Amino acid sequence: VFAGSPLLNSFGFGVVLTNWIKFIFVIGIPATTFVGLLFSGSENVVSITLVTTFVSVIFLFFCFSIFIVYLRVSCCLYLVKELYEKEDMTTTERLKYTILTAQESALSGKVHNNYVYDSNVYNLKRLDSNSLGEGGNEALHLSTHGQWYIKFTQLMPNGLFTTLDVPKRCWTQAEIDFNIPFYTKSSWSLEGVFCRMKNESHIAVLSGPSAVTQKQTLSSLACYFLGVVFYILLVAGLMVFAQVPSAVIAAVVTSFIAYWLWKGQKEYKMIKNANAIIRMRQSDDKEDGNDYNDDDFDTAIFQKWETFTVTKPTLAVTWGSFFAKNVITALIPFSYFCYSRNVVGALSYIAMLMLCFEKTYFDIGPIVETLGSFGSLGLESGKSLAHDGLLGAATRVEWEQKSRLYHVTRMNNTASRRIWAKLLNFFAIIFGVIAVAGISSVSSGSGQGEGVVPYTTFPPNNTFFYDVPQEEVSPMCSADFGNSNETNTTSSLTSPIKYLADYNFLSIISYFRIDSIQSLLDTWFGEGEAFLDEDVIPTFREAHPELPSVASFQLVTFSDGSAVVCVRGTTTYFDFLVDARLWYSAGLFQLVRNAMPFGFAFDALIEFCVNRLSELETSSIKEVSYYAETTAFVEYLRESGKYTKLAVTGHSLGGGLALITGAQTQTKAIAISGPSAVITRSAVTQPISLDAIKKYTFAVVPQRDIVPKIGGEHMNSASIKCRTGINDPISCHLAYRSLCELLYTCGNVKRPVYCECVRIGYPEPTAIDGSGNSLGSSCEAI
């Protein structure tokens, strides 16, 4: 609609001027910017041009949206007079009745009946299940929807809902504007039959030279059932791929078969009725000796939906739900923005709130579905309607105004919009549940968590190692692999940290209970080499009460005076909120970018959008960001002067936080399966430069692990294999599997192999003591 349809050209500027305006904002401004940057010798030609194009098009679309909002509101206020048959309504009364109509329509209990008609009357409003027009036979009822909500409203206490004595007809959009797909002999296709929306009206021509044939109708039925088989096999295949138990697969497939067979009765009835009509027409034509009967030239079969209002809410329920909904969705969030003094967020929320309010309560649909037409919109004074519907316009002005409203109503009722709305509502509900659970956990003091029982076990003798020849060992096995700053190394000839696997191990122990960590450090590094400092974190938090105590991390010190901060990954609901605050917006934009051809060219635009979204955050949200505490902790350690070298590591969320903290404090950071900080570098409270990310951060990226791909491509990284099946990408994100891969790949790294490596499918390591024992048998004895 926006790209150049008559709707945009009909707003009073004239076709030529409107197209010039559109050309200037869509092509002119971006092209001028691009050429100007070329002459200026700018180094950011692509990024600046992309951002300029985005802002220019958004501004034009904003102006176009203002016109649409004005059109919708003015039409609602005009037609509501006809709906209530009150010509002397004040503006306040029109507003009140418009909101009342929309809210009442949303709460009313409506039944939707699906019928099939055989008729030559091409006017859906004259085809009614109660009184058929001329040329029609008895309607064939296919299905009914909406009874459950009606029964629910009828079971409500008296005074909340009323049951109408006679159900009230609600005219559908198809009955008003007659914009319905036609199936003829030439327009019929299996793709169209397979992909058609089952809950919309359709017309199939059954007589005359354009009539669909009996073979085509039978093919439609066969295509439907083949589609059913495909859907069932698709669901079953996905469940097999995900290694779902056979009993569950059988139960789900059986349920799907029963459901689709029940749904298939409707298709069978409709096709059977169509074939009966075709045979009857062919028989009549043979008796008349003609190829087709002129009287039946336009006979067709109509699949039509009829809607009736059965129950409606009382006035108290209507207004009560209106005020309750707006208090919950509008007043409370807006009050929070005001309380947190987030002016940008408050203003943005008001703008979004006004658009949602207009979209919900100034919807022309409830008014038009009751009137059954666009009424006298645009009708000159003293004239009467030619007939109902869009085609009843008698003058150009009336046609123009009704045509605009027709385009707007079609724009608001597309199948894609309904699908996206359901999808977004689903994710909004899921995120809302996580948010409530996360906030509740922090309020109850359980946000940080106490750690879990260790899931890594070592054999009693710790003499099992993967032996790989030295010349086959990858350079990435070194602890300083990928580090371009020699002054920032954490390993030395005397340092216990010598391998990349050491950082992976340290990222794992951050998940464990404190009382179990020291014994694991002794097993891994050897006794007297690594120590868990349990006192420094409480001391730090006492010295900095202004910082939130929600992040979970540990400090491990070593015999050479160095120390590593180990940041825990996602384990609580509140951790998911931190993930969302830092990386979900970047992830969503990346998903859109990857779906676009040449999407890699839009990286600068993604960074721009992520940074603008971060400006909507309240200061209180930024304060509870985990990296604020981890960054302050590293600075605290550095100022203490107790440690010769510092490093930060973590897995998943902990890895992403480690990268941010490392870049902000200029400390070496190693992330295991952590999201990148490239796109979100300017969205953090203390912005990060690309040079800092390149100089101080490093990431271990397992194959098929999607988490490290969020936030942009890591500037320094090592890719390792994931030896799970292709149907198990989630296991590629597990830290202990990455550690097994590093141990197996690096071979003669002098670190013990733990039992879980063999249990998840890695080969048996070699017993150094020559006893011939296997790791598996040693682990079974534990």
Side-chain angles (χ1 to χ4, degrees), residues 597-645:
F598 303 103
F600 59 86
F602 294 90
D603 285 345
L605 184 58
I606 293 176
E607 293 180 19
F608 173 79
C609 294
V610 170
N611 294 337
R612 299 293 79 77
L613 288 174
S614 68
E615 294 176 358
L616 302 180
E617 297 176 347
T618 63
S619 57
S620 59
I621 292 179
K622 292 182 179 180
E623 287 174 359
V624 298
S625 297
Y626 286 4
Y627 68 83
E629 188 177 9
T630 55
T631 297
F633 181 64
V634 172
E635 293 287 1
Y636 174 81
L637 296 178
R638 175 170 287 134
E639 292 173 0
S640 68
K642 296 180 180 180
Y643 309 99
T644 57
K645 299 290 182 179

Side-chain angles (χ1 to χ4, degrees), residues 65 96 123 310 323 348 456 466 474 483 498 717:
S65 301
K96 182 182 73 173
N123 186 339
V310 179
F323 287 111
S348 302
T456 54
Y466 287 113
S474 171
N483 183 42
K498 299 182 180 300
S717 63

Side-chain angles (χ1 to χ4, degrees), residues 81-110:
K81 296 188 303 181
E82 296 187 22
L83 179 63
Y84 288 92
E85 299 179 352
K86 295 181 179 181
E87 290 294 333
D88 57 346
M89 276 188 180
T90 64
T91 302
T92 303
E93 289 177 327
R94 294 184 192 180
L95 290 171
K96 182 182 73 173
Y97 282 108
T98 300
I99 294 173
L100 179 66
T101 302
Q103 189 69 10
E104 187 180 83
S105 175
L107 296 175
S108 296
K110 299 177 182 179

Side-chain angles (χ1 to χ4, degrees), residues 132-210:
L132 295 176
E134 71 268 15
N137 299 318
E138 182 180 358
L140 173 65
H141 179 260
L142 294 180
S143 62
T144 300
H145 297 168
Q147 308 98 310
W148 290 106
Y149 180 71
I150 292 175
K151 292 180 180 179
F152 170 77
T153 58
Q154 291 174 337
L155 292 174
M156 298 294 286
N158 293 333
L160 298 181
F161 287 86
T162 59
T163 301
L164 303 180
D165 296 332
V166 179
K168 187 177 181 181
R169 190 73 160 84
C170 296
W171 304 101
T172 63
Q173 189 71 38
E175 292 173 309
I176 297 171
D177 57 43
F178 202 68
N179 189 352
I180 304 171
F182 271 74
Y183 291 101
T184 65
K185 181 169 61 177
S186 57
S187 66
W188 174 91
S189 68
L190 286 176
E191 294 86 355
V193 172
F194 183 78
C195 298
R196 81 180 193 276
M197 298 299 296
K198 305 300 188 296
N199 59 344
E200 294 183 352
S201 300
H202 300 82
I203 299 176
V205 179
L206 298 181
S207 64
S210 298

Side-chain angles (χ1 to χ4, degrees), residues 176-177 373-379 384-395 398-399 402:
I176 297 171
D177 57 43
S373 68
F374 293 142
S376 60
L377 185 67
L379 185 67
S384 58
L385 290 172
H387 59 78
D388 290 343
L390 180 63
L391 301 179
T395 64
E398 183 184 358
W399 167 264
K402 289 185 175 179

Side-chain angles (χ1 to χ4, degrees), residues 193 216-226 264 267-268 271:
V193 172
Q216 287 175 323
T217 58
L218 292 175
S219 297
S220 299
L221 183 62
C223 181
Y224 172 82
F225 283 105
L226 286 175
E267 295 287 327
Y268 175 74
I271 298 299

Side-chain angles (χ1 to χ4, degrees), residues 11 85 126 137 211 224 299 320 388 405 460 501 538 579 775:
F11 280 108
E85 299 179 352
R126 294 171 60 186
N137 299 318
Y224 172 82
T299 299
D388 290 343
L405 189 57
D579 286 332
L775 177 64

Side-chain angles (χ1 to χ4, degrees), residues 483-502:
N483 183 42
S484 59
N485 184 16
E486 295 181 358
T487 64
N488 190 47
T489 58
T490 53
S491 65
S492 64
L493 295 177
T494 59
S495 174
I497 299 182
K498 299 182 180 300
Y499 313 107
L500 194 58
D502 293 337

